[in-house]
Amino acid sequence: MSAETRSGSVAGSAPPPTDDDGTAIRAVKLRHPIRNIFAVIILLFAAAFVYDAALRPAYNWPAVAKYIFDRRISEAAVITLELTVYSMLIGVALGVVLAVMRLSPNPVFKSLSWFYLWVFRGTPVYVQLTFWGLLSVIYPTIDIGLPFLNPFITLPTGDVLNVFQLAVIGLALNEAAYIAEIVRAGILSVDHGQEEAATALGMSWFQTMSRVIIPQSMRVIIPPVGNEVISMLKTTSLVTAVPFSFELFTRSRDISAETFTPIPLFLVASIWYLAFTSILMIGQYFLEKRFARGIGVAQPEKKVTVATGAVPVVGDEGDDDQKSGGVHSGGTP
């Protein structure tokens, strides 16, 4: 037996492909000259754009460097993060409740959830925020008491809710409609047999959802929820409709109106938005990686026979032998 045959037997690798006369076929890497040319052209255009932007006076990079860490801009950036976090926390909590109501067999819960989603997904968020800004006009007071009876407590709406709280409520209620559909899709992605198996083991509904259904559905829920968080960060620029004017975009616009430099201030706001978005994307990546553990990583091992180059699946050798009439441990052909 030659060294090549012995090494092939030990390594278990297939022999190189040959043509009809037995000559080994030499694989040549496929070239893509047109694709490479287009790639070079795109890189040249990108380099030209960066060079032009660095020297164009309208961008006014010294003003960008001056205002990038301005105290007013930094405070507005923190307020933008607060709007995003508070709105998403309320939106996710309410969205989960709406998703459960949508999946409930109770027709009242299902109808209420559907109506909520129909209203808040069917109207622009800017219009909704405008209505929340007019809340004190529509409802001058907030009455607490029993229906059809005199209220126990009457509070002026403007004293109870400020514009920041109204902005959070408006963003959260709109976001809850989208989170509800994301959570519902994630729950429906889990096989119904998982719930039946948990019920057969004596688990309660809460245990089934918290230990079986929700953990498996998270790998479907996390990516779109991460996108919603990033979208919420940018949607905070619309709270000027409430009106709330201390978030990042509106604050940058107000400063630009004072200094007559709109382009540099909008660049400053864009840099802050990009920084926050990049951090959120990194966090989303690690969350997706964590909840995707064990999905698609266990592949069946394959063996390649030296003689024929066939690739049988491990565990089926006995079946192959039986089909070919081989002798087994029992000695039966």
Side-chain angles (χ1 to χ4, degrees):
M1 181 180 292
S2 63
E4 181 180 356
T5 305
R6 288 194 300 271
S7 61
S9 301
V10 173
S13 59
T18 57
D19 55 13
D20 295 337
D21 59 358
T23 305
I25 299 176
R26 179 174 175 269
V28 180
K29 185 178 180 181
L30 184 63
R31 300 181 184 277
H32 302 278
I34 297 179
R35 186 173 65 184
N36 295 334
I37 292 174
F38 273 108
V40 172
I41 293 174
I42 293 173
L43 289 176
L44 290 176
F45 272 107
F49 175 80
V50 172
Y51 179 77
D52 177 78
L55 301 179
R56 189 165 292 274
Y59 289 121
N60 196 354
W61 295 109
V64 173
K66 177 182 177 181
Y67 288 103
I68 188 68
F69 294 114
D70 186 89
R71 181 179 57 84
R72 295 167 294 178
I73 297 294
S74 302
E75 292 176 351
V78 173
I79 292 174
T80 297
L81 282 180
E82 292 177 348
L83 285 170
T84 303
V85 173
Y86 296 153
S87 301
M88 286 304 303
L89 289 177
I90 299 174
V92 169
L94 182 58
V96 172
V97 174
L98 289 170
V100 174
M101 291 175 61
R102 188 78 186 276
L103 295 173
S104 172
N106 191 310
V108 176
F109 289 163
K110 184 178 295 186
S111 300
L112 286 176
S113 177
W114 179 88
F115 181 78
Y116 182 98
L117 269 60
W118 176 64
V119 170
F120 282 91
R121 294 176 66 195
T123 54
V125 61
Y126 192 86
V127 175
Q128 297 173 26
L129 291 172
T130 303
F131 271 103
W132 283 105
L134 298 173
L135 183 66
S136 60
V137 178
I138 302 173
Y139 300 99
T141 60
I142 297 178
D143 300 329
I144 302 175
L146 297 175
F148 309 110
L149 297 177
N150 293 329
F152 303 143
I153 301 175
T154 300
L155 300 172
T157 304
D159 296 340
V160 176
L161 298 172
N162 56 39
V163 287
F164 178 82
Q165 294 169 341
L166 290 174
V168 170
I169 292 173
L171 293 173
L173 293 182
N174 176 265
E175 186 63 31
Y178 296 93
I179 295 295
E181 289 297 279
I182 293 173
V183 173
R184 185 174 71 92
I187 293 175
L188 292 177
S189 67
V190 180
D191 189 82
H192 186 66
Q194 299 288 325
E195 183 177 358
E196 294 177 348
T199 304
L201 291 174
M203 289 187 177
S204 63
W205 178 87
F206 181 79
Q207 291 175 329
T208 301
M209 293 298 294
S210 60
R211 299 182 182 181
V212 179
I213 304 299
I214 295 299
Q216 294 186 59
S217 63
M218 288 302 289
R219 65 184 182 89
V220 178
I221 294 175
I222 287 296
V225 169
N227 294 335
E228 288 296 319
V229 174
I230 294 173
S231 177
M232 175 61 70
L233 176 70
K234 296 176 288 186
T235 307
T236 55
S237 61
L238 300 179
V239 295
T240 182
V242 173
F244 182 76
S245 58
F246 294 100
E247 48 80 32
L248 182 57
F249 172 75
T250 308
R251 197 70 176 128
S252 302
R253 186 187 62 185
D254 294 342
I255 296 175
S256 68
E258 298 174 1
T259 59
F260 301 102
T261 55
I263 296 177
L265 266 299
F266 289 154
L267 285 174
V268 168
S270 300
I271 292 172
W272 276 98
Y273 281 122
L274 284 173
F276 290 150
T277 303
S278 301
I279 296 173
L280 292 174
M281 291 174 65
I282 294 173
Q284 178 183 352
Y285 167 77
F286 284 106
L287 276 178
E288 292 181 10
K289 186 176 180 181
R290 186 193 185 291
F291 284 101
R293 291 179 302 177
I295 303 298
V297 296
Q299 299 293 335
E301 183 183 359
K302 297 181 179 180
K303 292 183 178 180
V304 180
T305 60
V306 178
T308 61
V311 186
V313 179
V314 174
D316 293 343
E317 291 86 348
D319 295 339
D320 295 338
D321 292 339
Q322 185 175 5
K323 292 177 182 178
S324 60
V327 179
H328 300 274
S329 59
T332 305

